[in-house]
């Protein structure tokens, strides 16, 4: 089992190609895509999600293309800065949670309850997504992703908008999730400007290519 990126690249014409010559392989677990210059990391996640079609190489998740995995319901990709990946902003938090429970065969209710508590999400369940702060919406997405049971969970800049207690809770959640994802043969891929956890025990670090 492995996530294999073999020289796949992408371009927004007429801009130069991104991720040129990038090759890496990762085992199940937490995979941190590190991009200190913030060049291409969101594009990389969109390619992994199957939302963009790359060229000049290949990308496989346990032998499947991202598009095939997405069609099978195996990808969690909801990014608050990309409205097309999110439910309508009038959706109530409680309703989105209920939708995820129904849509995700591997949903972990016990884990979600734990994350609701550690991220202080319970006071917000009656609110609409539009009424949430940037940090609260980010915490909700993280909690849903970690509890979704999806084969491939993608998180972009998960620290965005988080205060100090939430950052502590995030790191604890990632430490807990990394060996769990590894044991279950799943992938938790996050993109950030620096690693949030050191490599080891289901945690891997992959640097994006310098452009």
């Amino acid at each position: 089992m492995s996530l294999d990126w073999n020289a796949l690249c992408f371009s927004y014409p007429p801009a130069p190609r991104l991720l040129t010559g990038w090759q890496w392989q990762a085992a199940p677990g937490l995979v941190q895509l590190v991009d200190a210059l913030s060049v291409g990391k969101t594009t990389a996640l969109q390619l992994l999600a199957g939302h963009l079609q790359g060229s000049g190489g290949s990308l496989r998740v346990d032998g499947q293309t991202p598009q095939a995995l997405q069609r099978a319901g195996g990808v969690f990709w909801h990014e608050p800065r990309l409205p097309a990946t999110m439910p309508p902003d009038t959706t109530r938090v409680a309703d989105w949670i209920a939708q995820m429970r129904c849509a995700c065969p591997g949903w972990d209710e016990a884990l979600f309850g734990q994350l609701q508590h550690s991220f202080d999400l319970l006071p917000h369940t009656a609110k609409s997504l539009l009424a949430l702060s940037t940090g609260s919406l980010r915490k909700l997405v993280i909690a849903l992703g970690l509890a979704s049971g999806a084969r491939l969970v993608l998180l972009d800049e998960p620290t965005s908008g988080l205060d100090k207690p939430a950052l502590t809770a995030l790191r604890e959640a990632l430490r807990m999730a990394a060996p769990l994802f590894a044991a279950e043969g799943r992938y938790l891929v996050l993109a950030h400007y620096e690693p949030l956890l050191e490599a080891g025990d289901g945690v891997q670090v992959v640097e994006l290519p310098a452009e």
Side-chain angles (χ1 to χ4, degrees):
M1 300 179 72
S2 63
L3 198 167
D4 297 277
W5 188 300
N6 182 25
L8 188 74
C9 59
F10 183 82
S11 66
Y12 297 94
R17 290 190 299 176
L18 297 171
L19 311 172
T20 304
W22 198 28
Q23 298 193 50
W24 55 276
Q25 182 181 79
L30 171 60
V31 183
Q32 300 175 94
L33 304 183
V34 177
D35 178 15
L37 299 178
S38 294
V39 178
K41 63 178 179 55
T42 300
T43 298
L45 291 182
Q46 291 184 90
L47 288 163
L48 284 163
H51 285 206
L52 294 178
Q53 183 68 50
S55 62
S58 63
L59 174 57
R60 296 290 185 273
V61 182
D62 297 335
Q64 286 186 287
T65 66
Q67 289 78 14
L69 189 58
Q70 182 191 44
R71 287 193 296 270
V75 179
F76 178 94
W77 170 235
H78 296 283
E79 169 49 46
R81 293 174 299 174
L82 298 174
T85 70
M86 296 288 290
D89 58 16
T90 54
T91 303
R92 287 195 321 136
V93 170
D95 292 336
W96 192 17
I97 295 170
Q99 291 166 15
M100 292 295 296
R101 285 191 180 106
C102 293
C104 300
W107 176 262
D108 189 330
E109 186 65 31
L111 176 58
F112 184 71
Q114 182 178 343
L115 293 169
Q116 271 189 308
H117 176 74
S118 60
F119 282 138
D120 195 26
L121 291 171
L122 287 170
H124 304 296
T125 53
K127 297 179 182 178
S128 68
L129 300 183
L130 182 62
L132 296 181
S133 67
T134 300
S136 292
L137 183 57
R138 179 69 59 184
K139 290 186 290 185
L140 176 62
V141 168
I142 294 168
L144 290 172
L146 295 182
S148 68
R151 176 107 66 86
L152 178 62
V153 175
L154 305 169
L155 301 175
D156 194 8
E157 292 290 356
T159 65
S160 178
L162 301 192
D163 58 18
K164 189 172 181 179
L167 289 172
T168 299
L170 171 62
R171 285 188 167 86
E172 287 303 314
L174 294 178
R175 287 190 187 95
M176 175 181 62
L180 179 63
F181 272 71
E184 295 178 350
R186 300 190 293 127
Y187 303 88
L188 171 57
V189 182
L190 66 83
H192 197 46
Y193 65 87
E194 65 180 5
L196 294 176
L197 298 181
E198 293 183 358
D201 192 19
V203 179
Q204 300 149 88
V205 177
V206 179
E207 293 190 6
L208 271 75
E211 298 292 337

